[in-house]
Amino acid sequence: MSARTARTRLFAAATVALAALALTACENGEGVRDEGPSAASKSSTRPTGSTPKAAPDAAHTTAGIPPCTAATTRIMATEVSRPLNHLLLTLTNTGSRTCTLTGYPAARFGEARSVPSSARETRPRAAVRLSPRESAYAGVLLSSGDGSGESGATAKTLTVTFKDGGTAHPALPPRGVHVDDRLTVTYWQSSMDTALTY
C-alpha cells in the first residue's frame, strides 16, 4: 500500500472519529449553547420609542437662576379675615428673568430690633421659582388669638430685608397691626392657601 493511500485512509478515520465525538457531546447537553443575541444585536432590538430617563426635578435646581431681590420684586402686605390675627405677604417678580426664593421673609415690624421666628414645619422641599409676573406668599401670625401673648405693641411700618441687603417697605393698614411675642412667619410658598395654613 502506498504512503499516499495510507494517509488518505488515516484522514478519513480521523474525520469519522471527530464527527462521532461532536455528536456524543451534543447528546450529553455539552455542545455549544445558544447564548441569545449578542450585545450589539440586543441594543439594536431595543424599542426606539422607549421612555428616556427622567431628568432631575427642575424645581430642586437653582444653579444659574438668580435670587429674587428688592430691585426685581414687589411685596404687598394684606390683612386677612381667616385665620385670625394673620397677615399675608405677597411677593411678585417684576423683573424679566426667573428668580428663586429660599427661606422665609426677614420681616421687621415697627421698631423691633429682630425679625420674628419662622414656622419650620412650613419649609418647602425646594426653593420657590418665580417666572416674571408670578407671585410667592408667606403667612404672618401677628399675635396670639387667645390673648396669651406678651410684649404686645402696635406696629405701623414693615421692613423686609433680602439676602443681598436690599429692603422693601410694604404698607401696613393706616391704624397699624397688633403684634406680640407670638409673632411668626412661614417660609415662602408657591400657594397662598399653603401660606395661610399655619
Side-chain angles (χ1 to χ4, degrees), residues 54-167:
D57 185 355
H60 294 268
T61 305
T62 59
I65 303 177
C68 299
T69 65
T72 60
T73 59
R74 180 183 69 251
I75 300 181
M76 295 178 58
T78 308
E79 281 189 300
V80 294
S81 57
R82 292 286 185 275
L84 293 174
N85 304 331
H86 274 68
L87 193 71
L88 177 68
L89 299 181
T90 303
L91 181 147
T92 302
N93 180 1
T94 58
S96 58
R97 298 178 58 189
T98 297
C99 64
T100 58
L101 277 175
T102 57
Y104 57 92
R108 184 164 55 86
F109 286 83
E111 301 302 318
R113 295 183 179 181
S114 61
V115 299
S117 60
S118 64
R120 293 189 178 275
E121 60 268 35
T122 66
R123 182 176 183 175
R125 293 184 177 181
V128 177
R129 297 175 61 177
L130 295 181
S131 297
R133 294 179 297 281
E134 284 188 336
S135 298
Y137 309 90
V140 183
L141 172 62
L142 297 169
S143 59
S144 62
D146 58 5
S148 61
E150 299 179 354
S151 304
T154 298
K156 293 190 175 184
T157 60
L158 171 60
T159 302
V160 178
T161 303
F162 289 77
K163 292 185 177 181
D164 67 347
T167 58

Side-chain angles (χ1 to χ4, degrees), residues 160-183:
V160 178
T161 303
F162 289 77
K163 292 185 177 181
D164 67 347
T167 58
H169 303 276
L172 294 176
R175 69 179 187 283
V177 293
H178 180 75
V179 298
D180 61 26
D181 60 358
R182 299 296 180 87
L183 183 63

